[in-house]
């Protein structure tokens, strides 16, 4: 399966291997890691939680969107859940395409979409407290009461 | 009956991961109002709903057996 | 060493490990692979050759350029030489930065610069012949007799 | 004396990886002309020169002991 939620450390090479193809000249990966400082505040660790069955479907949807927009693309995404320490890998996105410009653009598209529509949440733990993070795009949350039009069930 | 799922801070507020309710015939908006009142959940208006693992608008009607999840703004990645 | 020419298969994870940092929230990689078809022509295999000592210096220069332009970036690049078959990995570029937009942009910058200033050449082998490839940017080669101004010794 | 390095198709044309020449006092352009004539290399005008592993312009003067490399348009990546 190219779209997974993992309870254990992600094997990056295994994600890359899923998108290798004879037609591809380029593979890009995005590896999201747990950063120690965010706006000057020190993170101790994170907990990621997912609505797992739906999250896998939404990752698949993102892959399908990419294949429709970028010809010849192959996509694999694994997102970690559970407790993650600083520098641990939270998500790995691998995209292969015939030409390199597409591999960068399609990969960037994937991470932005994950932050919009995939039901995964992180709880930050600092020295002085903990909090479920609302949304990382730092926009008002679903101002219309739902994700943008094309977020629905595509 | 319908299974209702809570995640992240909504689960903390509800004090449980899921509850069983009779929700068929209600719209998503009606269920939100009912759950907010009966489970003391405050931020349900900023949450999306999913019916059977697909996002569903406020006006969608819930059917017998549907699984409803309340999805707070996501923060994966 | 973060900048290497390798005569054996590149260990992608090892390149990634070089750029892991507590301040980074994002690591991007670019993995250049040998594509079977280019403009309809079928490649059997490639030979890559490098002016190794100078190539390492130029990879280091690209890393330095990136660190100057993108604050907090870490960079590692390994380029393979020798015979490569279809889907084999020719180059791995890993870039880590605090925020993800920079990691994509800086990585893209690295591959474009490699194609401009790093003394590495590939010889394509097809069913009906072989040829050293002139330059992949498909521009006239060094029209001014030298790389653009800032390519020199920076 | 100076070591002169050839790469890729230039090496194929020269028939060797490197030669030793007395090039000090010559400019890069003068050395290119000399090598093109004496080693039958045709595409030297599209090649860059490097002196001691750094790109060098045509007008740069070669010194005793400098290592000169002719760099055809690169195709790595």
């Amino acid at each position: 399966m190219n779209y997974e939620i993992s309870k254990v450390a992600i094997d990056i090479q295994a994600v890359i291997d899923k998108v290798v193809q004879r037609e591809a000249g380029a593979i890009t990966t995005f590896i999201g890691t747990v950063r120690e400082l965010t706006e000057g505040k020190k993170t101790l660790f994170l907990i990621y939680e997912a609505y797992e069955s739906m999250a896998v479907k939404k990752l698949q949807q993102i892959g399908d969107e990419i294949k429709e927009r970028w010809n010849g693309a192959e996509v694999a995404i694994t997102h970690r859940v559970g407790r993650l320490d600083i520098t641990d890998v939270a998500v790995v996105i691998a995209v292969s395409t015939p030409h390199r410009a597409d591999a960068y653009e399609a990969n960037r598209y994937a991470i932005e979409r994950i932050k919009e529509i995939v039901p995964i949440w992180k709880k930050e733990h600092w020295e002085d407290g903990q909090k479920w993070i609302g949304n990382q795009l730092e926009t008002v949350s679903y101002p219309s009461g739902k994700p943008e039009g094309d977020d629905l069930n595509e | 009956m319908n299974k209702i799922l809570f995640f992240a801070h909504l689960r903390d507020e509800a004090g449980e991961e899921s509850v069983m309710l009779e929700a068929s015939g209600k719209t998503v908006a009606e269920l939100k109002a009912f759950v907010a009142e009966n489970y003391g959940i405050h931020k349900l208006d900023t949450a999306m709903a999913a019916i059977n693992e697909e996002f569903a608008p406020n006006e969608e009607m819930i059917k017998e057996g549907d699984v409803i999840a309340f999805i707070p703004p996501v923060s994966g990645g």
Side-chain angles (χ1 to χ4, degrees), chain A, chain B:
Chain A
M1 268 306 299
N2 280 29
Y3 307 96
E4 291 185 17
I5 301 296
S6 174
K7 292 177 179 66
V8 296
I10 302 171
D11 178 347
I12 296 172
Q13 183 66 53
V15 181
I16 293 169
D17 288 343
K18 293 176 187 173
V19 303
V20 169
Q21 46 170 339
R22 298 177 73 82
E23 298 75 23
I27 301 172
T28 52
T29 72
F30 175 85
I31 301 160
T33 57
V34 179
R35 188 177 56 216
E36 184 160 39
L37 291 177
T38 296
E39 290 162 20
K41 214 167 175 185
K42 195 169 176 178
T43 299
L44 299 180
F45 64 94
L46 300 180
I47 304 284
Y48 276 95
E49 170 182 319
Y51 180 10
E52 189 171 328
S53 54
M54 182 173 169
V56 169
K57 279 190 185 175
K58 290 289 147 186
L59 293 175
Q60 168 90 57
Q61 173 186 325
I62 292 168
D64 292 344
E65 289 172 7
I66 287 172
K67 289 181 191 188
E68 202 164 298
R69 291 183 189 211
W70 286 277
N71 209 16
E74 282 295 335
V75 184
I77 307 173
T78 300
H79 202 298
R80 177 86 183 273
V81 290
R83 178 192 159 125
L84 277 79
D85 295 310
I86 308 304
T87 78
D88 279 355
V89 173
V91 61
V92 176
I93 303 166
V95 176
S96 68
T97 59
H99 299 283
R100 68 184 180 280
D102 289 350
Y104 283 104
E105 284 169 24
N107 197 302
R108 180 78 195 270
Y109 177 85
I111 184 65
E112 300 302 334
R113 287 295 273 161
I114 287 172
K115 289 173 184 293
E116 286 170 1
I117 66 163
V118 181
I120 300 176
W121 302 271
K122 71 173 171 190
K123 193 176 195 173
E124 292 237 25
H125 290 254
W126 305 285
E127 279 170 348
D128 60 349
Q130 59 193 54
K131 193 188 170 201
W132 286 105
I133 301 304
N135 87 17
Q136 294 184 283
L137 298 177
E138 285 157 33
T139 53
V140 178
S141 334
Y142 302 139
S144 65
K146 54 177 183 175
E148 298 302 296
D150 62 351
D151 295 355
L152 289 168
N153 308 350
E154 281 182 352
Chain B
M1 292 290 279
N2 299 89
K3 190 172 193 179
I4 318 291
L5 304 172
F6 302 110
F7 293 97
H9 68 84
L10 297 181
R11 192 196 49 232
D12 292 352
E13 286 191 79
E16 37 203 337
E17 287 186 16
S18 67
V19 296
M20 294 301 291
L21 286 181
E22 188 57 73
S24 65
K26 284 192 167 70
T27 64
V28 165
E30 287 165 350
L31 178 62
K32 272 190 183 179
F34 178 85
V35 165
E37 203 176 302
N38 289 273
Y39 293 86
I41 298 178
H42 297 295
K43 287 186 175 168
L44 211 49
D45 53 325
T46 66
M48 273 296 292
I51 300 181
N52 302 329
E53 303 176 357
E54 288 294 0
F55 288 111
N58 270 329
E59 55 276 17
E60 189 151 326
M61 189 71 76
I62 295 162
K63 296 187 297 294
E64 169 61 22
D66 281 351
V67 176
I68 319 299
F70 291 112
I71 312 276
V74 303
S75 53

